[in-house]
Amino acid sequence: MEKSLTRNLLSNLFSRQNKPSCFHTKACLIQQLQECNRFISLTSVHSEILKSGFLSDTFAVNNLINCYIRLQKTLDARHLFDEMPQPNVVSYTSLIAGYINMGQPQTSLWLFQKMLGTSVIPNEFTFATVIKACSMIADLVTGKKIHALVEAVGFQCNLVVCSSLVDMYGKCNDVDGARRVYDLMGCKNVVSWTSMIVAYAQNAQGHEALKLFREFNYLLKDRPNQFMLASVINACASLGRLVSGKVAHGAVIRSGHDSNDVVASALVDMYAKCGCISYSDKVFRRISNPSVIPYTSMIVGAAKYGLGRFSLELFKEMIERRIEPNDVTFVGILHACSHSGLVNEGLEHLNSMYWKYGIVPDAKHHTCVVDMLGRTGRLDEAYHLAKSIQVDPNAGALLWGTLLSASRLHGRVDIAVEASKKLIESNQQVANAYVTLSNTYALAGEWESAHNLRSEMKRSGVSKEPGCSWIEIKDKTYMFYAGNASLERGSEVLSLLRELERKMKEKGYVRGQTGLAFIEVEEETEEQIVGLHSERLALAFGLISIPKGITIRIMKNLRMCKDCHDVFKLISEIVERDFVVRDINRFHHFSNGSCSCRDFW
């Protein structure tokens, strides 16, 4: 490439057609570089700089390096840099940024280390750039070393540098470190606030992100930018905070970011995760020219809601508009097929990924297919597929956990044993493996095996995650835990549950599978425990607290058990109310005695 570049320069320099132009002064040449947007034009200006004798001028060469970097010709920029007798801080910073833009953060950190061995002192932009490199690879150790250097050089109060540090600590999962930097900043702007909000949102601290966003509205006159808004909306989505999400949506409209792809996609996702798929569709349809990002958000949201056919229609619409799907789009499509029993369609889409779109299926896609086969009882196919996939421990845990759940559902003890062994060996989802396998043994009537496994759980100190549900009323969140009746308006909640139990029995309700096979209890005690599952407590509280006509929306940290699912269908008919439950797997919209999942989850 270097020889080719030299030939082009010499050709331009000595070509008869390339007569001296008006760009004989350095200022003119610099102006030409700043306006240059094609490589062939750049080589022409480069030859003029060479001809004019400005290749020894650091300012001119820096501008030339920047132009090569802007046109993604980093190797050519590096050749120029290496030939500079005395590169300055701008030279180093430009090339460091170039490597980052080309996805080479490790190389940029190496160059920064080389710079520290010279007499060149990094400036605020150098620090911000190398801190970004640490963020990209989540290198907390190097990030802390650079932070110490920042303080030694005296940039610890610089807005640009500190905002980058906050972002770096957040991406390295050190939220406390991010907050310490943030709190020590004497002056904050929209970028620094955004960095801290993003740090909270990315580390599952949505409540703190929302709290900081409210402070921003009160204390700073600047309008929120699209990155802040997208992060706040994502925080609302993770928490299921519909009211806060609507407030953020209002801020989006007021600040003029409603046409931004990333923000609109976040809104689509937020409304879907808060159980308002119709709102998601409204936001999506208002995007004048949606890209693959909002399409994918809408496809995934519809899939979680059990609207598999709708997801497939969206995908078809996207392809007809010549919008190329990405790997996440196909995760949504396969998920949609899995949750709607569309096995043949799902397998067709899996096969089309590589042959039609050049996307190689990875562990996420194969896990969806294992789930899809397992839900429809094709356990042997699902098992053989799971065994044939090479995955890392985290992806493997999801894969084998999915197969384990399907094995329990269809009573395949043999496959459940193999799947649980894989989970326990990987030290991932150990409690889930024990509990699910114990229930599988119990459902198959193998009580001795179930008892032995429960004893092993006790010896190992393994405990099941307690069931927890929450409900939002007037921007306040109320939490409910399984078996805990000591809650606000507790006597009213229990009284209503007893009354609803009586009405359900009048309709022929008989308590079915409770999902509590791993607990040895008498029948009466078992009924009391199941009757106090967290989602039932939340539902009863919602019924006495939320006016009739308003849909009650409940979030749960675990999978909804079959008995509670049956109960919610009956209660929706008895009280003539709609309920939406978001559990760890999907949404259930209960209305008039039926559920949107069609009992397929």
Side-chain angles (χ1 to χ4, degrees):
M1 182 179 288
E2 186 175 11
K3 290 181 179 179
S4 175
L5 177 62
T6 303
R7 282 197 301 270
N8 287 337
L9 291 175
L10 291 174
S11 175
N12 285 327
L13 183 59
F14 296 109
S15 171
R16 290 183 179 180
Q17 296 178 355
N18 197 27
K19 295 180 180 179
S21 67
C22 63
F23 301 108
H24 294 303
T25 65
K26 183 168 70 172
C28 291
L29 290 170
I30 299 303
Q31 181 67 30
Q32 185 83 345
L33 283 173
Q34 291 173 350
E35 295 173 356
C36 201
N37 56 13
R38 295 177 61 198
F39 181 61
I40 190 169
S41 303
L42 172 57
T43 58
S44 177
V45 180
H46 190 160
S47 67
E48 289 292 333
I49 290 175
L50 177 63
K51 180 180 176 181
S52 303
F54 288 123
L55 276 183
S56 59
D57 185 279
T58 302
F59 181 74
V61 175
N62 282 343
N63 277 274
L64 192 55
I65 287 173
N66 274 326
C67 194
Y68 275 116
I69 287 171
R70 189 172 71 248
L71 296 180
Q72 297 187 335
K73 300 293 181 180
T74 309
L75 186 58
D76 295 322
R78 177 61 188 271
H79 289 320
L80 273 171
F81 176 86
D82 288 340
E83 292 172 1
M84 294 179 73
Q86 288 186 320
N88 62 12
V89 66
V90 177
S91 317
Y92 275 102
T93 304
S94 297
L95 193 55
I96 287 170
Y99 282 124
I100 287 179
N101 292 336
M102 293 299 290
Q104 300 179 44
Q106 293 281 17
T107 308
S108 69
L109 290 173
W110 170 84
L111 186 60
F112 177 68
Q113 188 67 36
K114 181 181 176 181
M115 174 185 171
L116 294 180
T118 70
S119 60
V120 179
I121 305 297
N123 62 21
E124 60 185 291
F125 303 109
T126 317
F127 279 122
T129 305
V130 292
I131 291 167
K132 180 181 178 181
C134 295
S135 299
M136 291 172 68
I137 56 177
D139 187 349
L140 183 60
V141 174
T142 304
K144 285 184 174 181
K145 290 178 181 177
I146 294 174
H147 186 180
L149 190 59
V150 164
E151 294 189 346
V153 176
F155 284 109
Q156 65 268 30
C157 295
N158 183 276
L159 256 177
V160 175
V161 175
C162 288
S163 296
S164 298
L165 283 170
V166 170
D167 180 68
M168 181 274 294
Y169 278 113
K171 285 188 169 62
C172 293
N173 303 320
D174 186 354
V175 184
D176 291 338
R179 186 70 201 216
R180 281 194 294 272
V181 175
Y182 177 81
D183 287 339
L184 289 172
M185 294 173 68
C187 179
K188 301 179 180 71
N189 63 4
V190 65
V191 176
S192 50
W193 283 73
T194 299
S195 297
M196 194 64 235
I197 289 172
V198 170
Y200 279 131
Q202 289 176 339
N203 288 277
Q205 295 190 29
H207 290 293
E208 294 298 328
L210 293 179
K211 180 181 176 183
L212 200 59
F213 179 64
R214 293 190 189 99
E215 291 177 11
F216 173 84
N217 294 336
Y218 283 114
L219 299 177
L220 216 62
K221 294 180 180 179
D222 293 353
R223 287 189 174 187
N225 60 28
Q226 64 266 35
F227 305 108
M228 178 188 289
L229 290 167
S231 297
V232 168
I233 293 163
N234 289 334
C236 295
S238 66
L239 297 169
R241 297 288 296 273
L242 179 60
V243 174
S244 298
K246 287 182 175 180
V247 171
H249 191 175
V252 166
I253 295 170
R254 288 192 301 274
S255 58
H257 292 300
D258 45 321
S259 60
N260 180 276
D261 251 18
V262 175
V263 175
S265 299
L267 284 169
V268 168
D269 179 64
M270 182 273 293
Y271 280 120
K273 286 181 177 175
C274 291
C276 295
I277 195 68
S278 60
Y279 279 41
S280 293
D281 190 48
K282 287 178 182 177
V283 172
F284 175 74
R285 294 302 173 189
R286 286 174 184 165
I287 304 173
S288 58
N289 191 25
S291 69
V292 65
I293 300 173
Y295 259 110
T296 298
S297 293
M298 193 66 226
I299 286 169
V300 172
K304 286 283 187 182
Y305 221 83
L307 303 174
R309 292 290 180 190
F310 181 50
S311 289
L312 295 181
E313 289 171 9
L314 284 167
F315 182 78
K316 182 181 178 182
E317 177 186 307
M318 187 178 80
I319 299 303
E320 288 174 349
R321 297 180 70 166
R322 299 183 183 277
I323 299 171
E324 285 289 317
N326 58 29
D327 62 320
V328 182
T329 312
F330 277 103
V331 170
I333 285 296
L334 293 172
H335 194 79
C337 293
S338 173
H339 281 278
S340 300
L342 305 173
V343 180
N344 292 333
E345 292 89 338
L347 293 175
E348 287 176 9
H349 281 291
L350 178 71
N351 292 329
S352 75
M353 283 181 64
Y354 180 75
W355 298 112
K356 203 169 182 179
Y357 303 100
I359 301 172
V360 179
D362 61 18
K364 300 187 296 293
H365 304 103
H366 287 123
T367 299
C368 287
V369 176
V370 166
D371 186 47
M372 181 172 63
L373 294 169
R375 287 173 186 274
T376 52
R378 295 164 65 168
L379 267 298
D380 291 310
E381 293 174 72
Y383 176 58
H384 290 306
L385 177 59
K387 284 204 305 181
S388 69
I389 302 170
Q390 297 293 325
V391 293
D392 62 60
N394 289 329
L398 184 59
L399 178 72
W400 290 104
T402 298
L403 185 62
L404 178 58
S405 296
S407 304
R408 174 188 178 276
L409 179 66
H410 295 282
R412 287 293 298 270
V413 175
D414 55 337
I415 296 178
V417 169
E418 288 298 314
S420 61
K421 282 181 180 177
K422 292 285 187 181
L423 284 176
I424 293 169
E425 286 171 4
S426 68
N427 201 31
Q428 303 281 323
Q429 298 185 26
V430 175
N432 176 61
Y434 276 117
V435 169
T436 306
L437 182 57
S438 174
N439 285 338
T440 307
Y441 280 135
L443 289 171
E446 298 184 21
W447 295 104
E448 185 176 352
S449 296
H451 176 77
N452 291 338
L453 198 60
R454 290 196 297 270
S455 299
E456 177 63 25
M457 286 176 64
K458 291 177 182 177
R459 283 195 301 271
S460 305
V462 176
S463 59
K464 180 177 179 286
E465 181 183 3
C468 172
S469 297
W470 58 99
I471 187 171
E472 183 185 10
I473 302 175
K474 294 182 179 178
D475 202 26
K476 182 177 179 182
T477 302
Y478 297 85
M479 307 291 293
F480 304 88
Y481 296 89
N484 183 5
S486 57
L487 48 99
E488 188 174 334
R489 303 181 70 179
S491 59
E492 294 177 73
V493 166
L494 294 178
S495 176
L496 178 57
L497 285 174
R498 283 192 292 267
E499 176 65 16
L500 291 171
E501 183 92 1
R502 182 185 64 78
K503 290 182 179 179
M504 287 190 293
K505 287 181 177 178
E506 288 176 358
K507 285 181 170 288
Y509 165 69
V510 177
R511 194 176 299 282
Q513 172 56 39
T514 65
L516 293 173
F518 59 92
I519 300 177
E520 293 177 332
V521 290
E522 296 296 327
E523 183 179 350
E524 183 180 353
T525 309
E526 182 177 313
E527 288 204 4
Q528 291 173 352
I529 293 174
V530 175
L532 293 181
H533 271 192
S534 62
E535 61 264 52
R536 296 198 195 186
L537 294 171
L539 176 61
F541 186 83
L543 286 170
I544 63 176
S545 306
I546 299 175
K548 195 164 184 177
I550 299 176
T551 300
I552 297 174
R553 305 176 193 279
I554 299 168
M555 311 292 159
K556 183 172 182 180
N557 66 331
L558 302 175
R559 183 179 185 270
M560 195 177 194
C561 77
K562 185 180 184 302
D563 191 71
C564 284
H565 192 266
D566 292 340
V567 163
F568 270 58
K569 288 195 296 183
L570 275 171
I571 294 177
S572 72
E573 183 180 14
I574 291 169
V575 301
E576 298 180 339
R577 296 283 297 269
D578 279 16
F579 319 131
V580 175
V581 178
R582 173 181 134 190
D583 69 8
I584 197 170
N585 285 337
R586 65 173 300 158
F587 279 92
H588 302 272
H589 188 156
F590 300 94
S591 180
N592 198 30
S594 63
C595 179
S596 59
C597 76
R598 302 183 302 281
D599 299 335
F600 186 82
W601 89 102

